Structures are given as structure tokens and as C-alpha cells.
Amino acid sequence: MADGEDFRGGLAERIATFDREAAGRAADRAEEERRRVLEEFPLESWAELPLERYALGPAAHGSPGYSFCRLLEYGTNAFGSIRGGSAAKHIVYQHRTGEWRIVPSALRGLSVREAWTAVRAEFVTAFAAAADGAYERIDELESLSYGQALTTKALAVYFPGEFLPIFSASHVRHFTALLGGRPHQYSSGVRTWRANRELLDLVRKTPEFEGWRPHEVMLFLYTFHDPRPRDRMIWKIAPGERASLWDDCRTNRRIRIAWDEVGSLGQYESDQELKDALDQYWPHSTGGNLRLARQLLAFRDLEPGDLIVANRGKSEVLAVGTVAEGYSYDPDVETHRHTVGVSWDTSYAQFFDSPRHAWQQTFAKVPATLWRDIRLGRKAALTETVVAAEPASGTDAELPDAELPDAVRKVRDLLDHKGQVVLQGPPGTGKTRLALSVALAMTGRGDRIEASPEERAAALAELSAVPEGAAAARLTVVTFHPSYGYEDFVEGFKPAAAADGAGLNLTMTDGLFRRVCAAAEAAPDDTFLIVVDEINRGDLPRVLGELITLLELDKRGSVSVTLPTSGRQQTVPPNVRIIGTMNSADRSVSHIDAAIRRRFAFLDVPPDLDVLDGEVGGLGLADFLEGLNAKLDIAFGPDHLLGQAYLLVGDRPIITEEQLSNAFHHEIVPLVADYCLGQPGLLRSVLGALVDNSTGRVVQTNPQDLPGVLAEEFVALGAVGDEPTGGEGAVGWQGE
């Protein structure tokens, strides 16, 4: 069924439940904002518009009123958002240093005034072309192609009936496919304004939208077909030191953070550029400012639908908020000028039984396990409603897609697209656990992914059990190794007891893959998964043989091969999926040849510091692992980092000095020593003072003293994420 037919299925019912009256009021607000732009920037004024009245930057902040770019990004959100990302989308802008930045490469040899004259001329040409209905002429304007969202929004402001108020290229493609268009033609080279016009044409051909205003259509599409929730972020963000800004944030429906000295986050084009700015003001945190820069840019790029957990200290949740408006920099407030609009729900307010160490910092991602605990811990007045909404324990109710962990959704989507995925990353990053979580999600057991260890294990055991009369279970786990061969995976002659009990006979035996394929053919509505641990340790061309051709999705179920040993025909059913795991530090990664790589999607699984929500003897586990990995990265590269599993017991962070000592001396040190290949100098470059100068071996430290020793060696002065609260260079614990 075509996407357009899918969209029209149930369309009348969706329209009946849509609050068009509220959408009409929103359209009225959008029209008010549009008229403000027309009043401040009449179309006829563009031919002589000064650069300072156009551009985003410090000079614009000192000018009366909004500049054009500032008004379109921050003052007309009801009309349609172009917030987020860097200031480069404005084509010409002023950096926080006062330097003017020119984005189009063809204009970089000109002075800023000359470049602005050229850009302004293209805007004037674009507006004239739109007035004449000659939209194809706009495609020829090269400089405007560097700011397609801004240009499309400007065109929609001045010619509101000719464009939809949707300015993200990816969102336009999403809605185009939804209405039965061909979004692939917009994948490269096609300007957003042109794609927008094509989407508008599809809307006009949908009779159910006859008489609707463009903003009503836009709100309907985002209400029922929003492309964003699949990538929803959940962040813990403290509203000031000891929640000192909470009353303001709750009343004004926003979240505010500090680091005001770096200016608007919109002017930074990379995390490295922002890190350099942070280093200027907080040089003692240099070792961790790159991580902070990435967190600040993630804050800048929050989208409507993302979630924010507001906290006080390490044990209290104040509220959970849904992002309603994107990032802005508010120079009118005294401090904490970085803001994001949020709709708060205080029914989530609660206290934890034990403190969360990771919440000592301003920013922290909220792991799926903690998010589930927060939802289940809502205020007593809503408890019954929340429990009723949760899948009942002991059932196979599938977890709603929006509640699945992001990593699980990503792997599942790659499997749907490719059929096979290899999860690759350093040791201890949870690749096998992620693979098994995907298996639970794809077999209707998504509610067990973050359940208790016992419930999760029981669900996996049930999934791995072979039903009576079936050839294989829905989940099959196998570990490849050098002696694993074709006869084990596909078919081969294997010894079996003779019928008369005298001796052995060679019998043709189906391998694991043939058994799974047979079970999948018998149950075409179910998904069957094979999880191959250490997939690169097997000789894959030998193990897979001629079946490598059949793994491609377009050949599933329709193309067969003749197996050379038995002469039987073999197809691969479309409901079989393969997930492999691969340790990127393993020296045998070269075993995966090009033909096999073409048929697998590869996904990196990096260390996840956010799950290390704990401390031992004052040592923050996440801070320790981050510092250790920074040294490993310098010495060996990103494939030789260590994952969070070394500091977990089950799925929880270690809590005692003895557990830390065992993990460090008996798991981490041997692995690092193996990386160093017996070179004491290299080992010392990673573990520093922990290595004895005379013996070249790691000193055994008393467990009670180990947290302090590790903190001194691996945790930088001024922990990452500390929010400045005082004078220049002052650092305070935001969560305390």
C-alpha cells in the first residue's frame, strides 16, 4: 500500500478528533507574528536593508528592535520554527567575537559589506520571482542555498498562501512521503522551498483539507504524524544552584542555564569551537570542556517533544517538562540566559530512596531504567492512572514505540532497512545486552527490556525455548569462533549413532541457520532473530557460504540457491533477522570482508557514561571512566576504550570499595596491560602513578584508598558539567 493510501486510512477519524478551533487560534497568533515582520521589514525596504538590521549577532543586540534573522528565529515561533543548530543558517552573521562570518564559499573573498550586498540582491530577486509566480528562478540563487530554512520561512512570511509553514527539509520529506509524494527526489540538490511547494500541492489535492489554513494543516500533520518523537531526548537539567530558579522556570514555562560568558550557543558551528570558548573562561576544566560543549549544544538543539526532568540536588524530582519552544539567548535577564521553552508537569514531583550521583551536575541524560522509575513514582493522585497505563507484569504487551530506548529503536530500524546489523564497539559497552533488548522489542516483549533482572531473564528464556514441534526458537544465540564452520551454521554430515546401535553413521544434519529458516517459514507473522556474539571471530565467508547472497532483503523469499552438500534448495524468509556483535579492539576485525560488509549495517556502540549514576568513596564512576578513556584514546585510539559494564553489577553501578578494587585490579588493569603489549612506558602513560617505576607493574592499592587514588589520577580538577555560580572561574555543584 502506498504511503498516501496509508495516510488517508482513518483520516476522517483523525480530523474528527483534531481541535481545529485551537488550531485556528494558533493560526491567528501566527498571522500576528507575520504582520509584525511586515511592519518592521516591509518588502519594499529590502533593496536598501542595512546589514545590522538583517544579521544575527552582537551588533543586532545593540540595535533597537529585532534584526530580521533574530525575529525569524526567536520572535515568530508560532508562525513556524527554524530554531536550533548554528548561526550559519543565516548566511551572513556576526560572531560573538565581533568577527563577521560569511557562509557561502563563493563570497568569502569579498568584504562583509560586499558579501551582504550580494546576498541581499538574491533575497530581492527571490521575492520578485515569488511575486511573479516564477518560483523556478529562486533555485538559481546560490547564496540562498546556504540558508534554505531561513529563506523558505522568509518566502512564507511575504507570500503566505504559496508555502506551508514547515521549514525543516527532513520534515518536508517526511510529510511528502506521508501524502504519497516521492521524497527521494529531494534527497540532494533540491531546495527546501521547492520541496515545500510540492508538499503544498499534495495538500491542495487532499479534499479533506479544502478550506483549511496553512497553519491548521501544519498543526494537524505534527499532531498525528510528527517525525520527531522517535528521536526524543530525555535530559535531567537543574534549574539553578539548589533549584534557585525553579519558581521562575515554572511560572514562565522555561528552563534556564548559565555559562552566559560564551554568548548565544547559536553562533557555534562545532563542539570544538564551543570548547575553545569554554576553555577561555574555565581553563581548569579543560579536560572535560569538550563533553560540556556537546551537552550545551544538545541543550541548544532540543526540539518540541523532548523531555526535561527538573531536579533539586541528587534525590528530588521537581517536575517533568515537555519542550514546547526551541533555544533562545535572553540578554534581558541578569544570569542564566540560555533558555528553552518548556511545559511543566509537577505531578512527577518525588524523592528517590537514594541519591543519584550523576545528578550532581547540571546536565545528565536520563537512562531508560531511571525514566521508568520516575514515571512509576508519580504523585499518589495519579498512581492508579499511571499503573493502568503500564503493561501488566507477566504479559507480552508491547511497549509503545516512543517508550523504547533510543538505541533499541535505532537497531530495530536498521534491521528493517537492511536485515542484518553488526553492533561494534569497545569491550564492555553492552553490545550483547543491546542485541537481546532488540530481540525483546521485536517479539512483543519491549516492556521487559528495563524490567528487573529476573523478569528480563525469564522473558529471554521464554523467547529462546524451542516450542514443541518447531524447528527453532524465535531467538537463537550463538558465538562464532575459528573452528565454527558451514556444517554448523548451514548443513553438513555429522556422526550419529547407527540405528542398530553398532558404531556411528554420517548423517546429513541441518545447521542452526537452516533450522531458524524452517521455523520462520512455518510462522511467517513472527520475527525470528539470530544473535551472533563475536561475529568477527568466525571465518564468515566459510560459515555463510553461498547464503551470503540471500541475506539481501530484496532476495528474501524469492530467490533460492542450491546447497552444494545436499543439493537441496534454500531460501531465506523475510522474517529472519541477524544481529552480530563485534569487539572493535579485537585484532581479528579484518576477517569481515567487503562482500559481507555490504550486506550488514554497522552501528557503533560507545561507552555510556550516563548509566554510571553512582559514586564510591567520593569517586564519581562516570568521571573516572571518562578520564581513563581519555588517556586510552590518546594512547591507542577510540577502538580501545572501556565500556561501562566493568563498573556495573548486573545493570546497577558498583557501590563498595571492594567491588571497585576487584573491577579495577582484576578486570580493567589486565585489559589495559594487554593493550600495552608489555611496554611499561606505555602502561605508565595510561595509568600514571599507579604503575611502579622500578617494576613496571600496577601497584596494589588498599580498597579503602583506591577511590582517592583513582580520582587524583583520572578525574580533572573541576568536574565536567559544573555550572559557574560566582565570579570569574568560580565553579559550584549545580545539583547540590
Side-chain angles (χ1 to χ4, degrees), residues 158-179:
Y158 291 111
F159 305 94
E162 302 304 322
F163 295 89
L164 283 173
I166 302 171
F167 310 120
S168 163
S170 62
H171 293 186
V172 170
R173 287 195 295 269
H174 170 80
F175 293 133
T176 297
L178 187 71
L179 270 67

Side-chain angles (χ1 to χ4, degrees), residues 61 71 132 228 363 447 689:
H61 291 323
L71 187 57
D132 294 339
R228 296 167 297 186
F363 299 103
D447 59 306

Side-chain angles (χ1 to χ4, degrees), residues 62-274:
S63 302
Y66 275 54
S67 69
F68 181 78
C69 289
R70 181 170 171 77
L71 187 57
L72 257 61
E73 182 162 6
Y74 298 118
T76 53
N77 202 57
F79 187 80
S81 177
I82 59 170
R83 289 188 180 187
S86 79
K89 64 175 172 283
H90 295 294
I91 310 173
V92 179
Y93 67 98
Q94 191 177 25
H95 191 256
R96 65 182 178 86
T97 60
E99 174 191 359
W100 285 95
R101 299 284 176 90
I102 301 168
V103 179
S105 55
L107 302 181
R108 289 177 188 166
L110 303 178
S111 70
V112 66
R113 300 294 169 182
E114 291 171 333
W116 165 238
T117 299
V119 171
R120 181 177 61 193
E122 290 199 4
F123 271 110
V124 171
T125 301
F127 296 148
D132 294 339
Y135 300 103
E136 68 282 355
R137 285 164 44 196
I138 306 175
D139 292 347
E140 302 169 5
L141 304 174
E142 190 63 30
S143 294
L144 298 191
S145 68
Y146 289 85
Q148 295 184 39
L150 173 74
T151 302
T152 306
K153 185 169 182 177
L155 288 166
V157 164
Y158 291 111
F159 305 94
E162 302 304 322
F163 295 89
L164 283 173
I166 302 171
F167 310 120
S168 163
S170 62
H171 293 186
V172 170
R173 287 195 295 269
H174 170 80
F175 293 133
T176 297
L178 187 71
L179 270 67
R182 296 181 297 167
H184 60 273
Q185 64 183 326
Y186 306 129
S187 59
S188 63
V190 175
R191 313 302 195 211
T192 302
W193 51 78
R194 178 178 165 192
N196 185 293
R197 292 269 306 159
E198 295 289 340
L199 176 58
L200 176 63
D201 186 59
L202 291 171
V203 169
R204 287 172 172 170
K205 291 178 180 177
T206 304
E208 290 85 351
F209 289 141
E210 184 176 356
W212 285 46
R213 298 159 71 181
H215 278 80
E216 293 175 339
V217 175
M218 179 267 285
L219 291 169
F220 178 87
L221 292 175
Y222 277 108
T223 298
F224 293 101
H225 307 283
D226 195 331
R228 296 167 297 186
R230 294 176 64 83
D231 299 316
R232 182 178 66 177
M233 301 293 294
I234 307 177
W235 282 89
K236 189 285 308 180
I237 302 178
E241 185 178 13
R242 293 297 302 170
S244 59
L245 300 174
W246 176 234
D247 287 343
D248 170 82
C249 290
R250 180 180 54 199
T251 301
N252 294 301
R253 301 166 64 88
R254 60 186 179 182
I255 186 72
R256 293 164 54 194
I257 62 172
W259 295 281
D260 302 334
E261 290 85 345
V262 300
S264 172
L265 300 176
Q267 63 196 306
Y268 296 98
E269 298 183 32
S270 69
D271 51 13
Q272 186 61 49
E273 184 181 359
L274 179 53

Side-chain angles (χ1 to χ4, degrees), residues 24-40 71 75-79 157 160 213 215:
R25 292 194 296 270
D28 290 339
R29 291 193 297 272
E31 179 61 17
E32 291 175 5
E33 292 180 349
R34 189 183 79 85
R35 290 188 180 279
R36 179 185 175 186
V37 179
L38 297 183
E39 291 171 2
E40 294 197 27
L71 187 57
T76 53
N77 202 57
F79 187 80
V157 164
R213 298 159 71 181
H215 278 80

Side-chain angles (χ1 to χ4, degrees), residues 54 93 109 210 360 406 466 486 495 536 574 618 664 695 705:
Y54 165 80
Y93 67 98
E210 184 176 356
Q360 188 165 285
D406 289 344
V466 181
Y486 181 88
N536 54 305
F664 181 72
T695 65
D705 299 331

